[in-house]
Amino acid sequence: MKLITNWKYHLLNFFGWQLYIFSTLTFDKVSYNLSKLEEWSPSEWNRFQYLIIEGLICGFLGFTLSYIILFAVDYKVEIKKITKKSLLWLIICFVITQVIYQLLLWPFLNIPLRYYLERENNLNGIMKLANVPIFTVAFLVWLFVIMAYKVIKYLKEIRIKQLELESDLKESTLNSLKGQINPHFMFNSLNNIRGLILEDPSRSREMITRLSEMLRYSLTKNDLHEIRLEEEMEMVENYIHISKIQLEERLEYIEEVASETLSLKIPPMILQMLVENAVKHGVSNLKEGGLVKVKTNIQNDKLVVEVMNTGRLSISSNSTQIGLKNIASRLKLLYGGKANFDLKEVENYVIATITIPLT
């Protein structure tokens, strides 16, 4: 952020001062007679060369002495916290610069005066003081440009920090939303498996394996934002098999998964949450049980994932619907407005649909 250590600034500062002085001082003095350039006498040529040297000297002095003010701006003035003390420093440096500039300018200008015009500087003190506002304005313009640059750079840094904080917050929110297996499901599954051990040991071992796979999946995929649909389907199948321990024939499960969608990416645990919601708030609440169906396809360059279950939306009206809010929040954080989540009831079926962009 310190300009005094930036070589690009030194280069631009030098040419900036020369351009400013030539455009406001030198060009104004020579422009009135440029139309008669071919008629110039030797004395007029000498005057022209003197004015060019005069502009170079004025610009070089401004360029050199501007570092007195720049030191105060870089080391004494903090854009994020400008104090009275720092402003006083800036004002003092500005005044000192103006005094030094006026003290050096006229002796410096005497050298080309003697060489080109063969005379001494004949301006009196009052006439010299009349030039003070001209060069003061030059330094004010320079200071305005420097402070504007500092403010813009500071605002840019603030914006970058804000984006970093938003990114960290988004990451933290995502981590809190994803990879969450319902603890009640875990406890019920373990109890059901315990009851199955004496009745059917081989099946109980299979269920323990499936439950451990679900836990492993939840832990290992927690750091990922997207996984292949094929991996998520394995998680869903494990969940369905474990759920059938309790629901048995009351739970019917169907998959209509298009093969071209298996390699596509979706957020981890999001499909499992939809299926869990369909079983817990749909089929398990019906005495006769019902159907859970998972369907995927590609429509208009978007992956469409649909989970349908027997039941009605009113059945889960008393629930907090944390899982559904979780899904909507994750989609918004990951894809903004490009992904959609829709939940509706059609002819005694609850249909949850997720639409995810492919690009």
Side-chain angles (χ1 to χ4, degrees):
M1 186 110 179
K2 289 180 173 55
L3 289 174
I4 206 166
T5 59
N6 190 329
W7 69 269
K8 293 180 181 178
Y9 163 75
H10 306 310
L11 194 63
L12 289 173
N13 188 33
F14 176 79
F15 287 107
W17 271 101
Q18 298 299 340
L19 181 63
Y20 180 84
I21 294 297
F22 269 79
S23 62
T24 59
L25 182 68
T26 305
F27 186 75
D28 184 58
K29 291 183 178 182
V30 302
S31 60
Y32 71 95
N33 210 20
L34 284 176
S35 59
K36 301 178 181 179
L37 187 62
E38 66 279 358
E39 301 176 9
W40 278 10
S41 63
S43 61
E44 288 174 317
W45 271 107
N46 285 342
R47 182 177 182 276
F48 173 77
Q49 292 176 69
Y50 164 75
L51 292 176
I52 296 298
I53 297 299
E54 178 191 59
L56 289 172
I57 290 174
C58 292
F60 181 76
L61 278 176
F63 161 75
T64 305
L65 296 176
S66 67
Y67 284 93
I68 297 175
I69 305 173
L70 183 62
F71 178 84
V73 173
D74 269 352
Y75 294 97
K76 299 296 181 180
V77 178
E78 291 186 34
I79 299 298
K80 62 181 178 181
K81 188 180 179 181
I82 297 178
T83 62
K84 292 181 179 179
K85 184 177 180 180
S86 62
L87 282 177
L88 182 61
W89 256 98
L90 190 59
I91 293 171
I92 291 172
C93 289
F94 192 89
V95 172
I96 290 173
T97 302
Q98 298 308 299
V99 173
I100 296 174
Y101 190 94
Q102 297 300 323
L103 290 175
L104 294 178
L105 177 64
W106 305 108
F108 271 57
L109 291 181
N110 259 333
I111 299 172
L113 261 175
R114 292 172 189 159
Y115 184 82
Y116 289 103
L117 302 182
E118 298 180 351
R119 63 180 175 84
E120 295 287 336
N121 194 306
N122 56 3
L123 294 178
N124 57 37
I126 296 177
M127 294 178 70
K128 289 180 180 179
L129 288 175
N131 285 275
V132 171
I134 297 174
F135 300 110
T136 301
V137 169
F139 277 93
L140 284 174
V141 170
W142 169 85
L143 182 59
F144 173 80
V145 172
I146 295 303
M147 294 303 291
Y149 169 81
K150 290 276 189 178
V151 170
I152 292 172
K153 191 73 180 293
Y154 174 69
L155 292 176
K156 186 178 179 180
E157 290 177 356
I158 291 296
R159 178 59 179 163
I160 291 172
K161 289 180 181 178
Q162 183 182 2
L163 289 174
E164 288 175 349
L165 287 173
E166 289 176 357
S167 178
D168 291 342
L169 178 60
K170 178 179 176 180
E171 188 74 22
S172 176
T173 304
L174 277 172
N175 287 335
S176 68
L177 290 174
K178 68 185 180 182
Q180 300 172 353
I181 296 180
N182 191 324
H184 295 292
F185 166 75
M186 298 298 299
F187 296 143
N188 290 336
S189 298
L190 288 171
N191 284 328
N192 290 329
I193 292 171
R194 184 183 64 178
L196 192 64
I197 290 175
L198 296 177
E199 180 183 336
D200 191 343
S202 62
R203 191 179 173 204
S204 64
R205 286 196 296 271
E206 179 191 349
M207 292 302 105
I208 290 174
T209 301
R210 290 186 181 275
L211 188 60
S212 65
E213 284 296 313
M214 290 184 68
L215 285 171
R216 182 188 63 79
Y217 179 93
S218 176
L219 293 172
T220 58
K221 306 301 181 182
N222 191 50
D223 294 331
L224 303 176
H225 292 325
E226 291 183 317
I227 60 165
R228 289 186 298 115
L229 176 63
E230 185 177 16
E231 297 179 79
E232 184 79 355
M233 288 303 301
E234 292 178 7
M235 174 74 163
V236 169
E237 289 170 3
N238 287 329
Y239 175 84
I240 291 294
H241 277 83
I242 293 172
S243 298
K244 281 188 174 183
I245 300 176
Q246 180 180 356
L247 299 175
E248 297 180 337
E249 299 303 320
R250 291 171 58 208
L251 173 59
E252 180 184 0
Y253 175 67
I254 298 176
E255 287 183 4
E256 290 184 6
V257 180
S259 58
E260 64 269 20
T261 65
L262 290 174
S263 61
L264 300 179
K265 299 293 185 70
I266 66 170
M269 302 296 293
I270 204 164
L271 178 55
Q272 188 273 337
M273 284 184 181
L274 284 179
V275 173
E276 181 179 343
N277 192 71
V279 173
K280 181 180 178 182
H281 299 292
V283 175
S284 64
N285 289 327
L286 300 174
K287 185 177 180 179
E288 68 279 9
L291 168 71
V292 173
K293 180 179 178 181
V294 176
K295 181 180 178 181
T296 68
N297 56 70
I298 298 173
Q299 296 178 11
N300 301 322
D301 292 326
K302 290 184 178 181
L303 171 63
V304 179
V305 178
E306 183 179 281
V307 176
M308 181 177 71
N309 67 274
T310 310
R312 304 188 66 176
L313 284 175
S314 58
I315 292 177
S316 59
S317 60
N318 294 326
S319 73
T320 58
Q321 297 187 348
I322 292 176
L324 300 179
K325 293 177 181 177
N326 184 318
I327 292 169
S329 298
R330 288 177 66 192
L331 289 174
K332 184 176 181 181
L333 284 168
L334 287 171
Y335 306 105
K338 296 180 180 180
N340 294 312
F341 174 58
D342 180 58
L343 186 66
K344 61 185 178 181
E345 180 185 330
V346 179
E347 298 178 355
N348 295 324
Y349 285 95
V350 177
I351 303 175
T353 306
I354 292 175
T355 305
I356 299 174
L358 297 182
T359 55

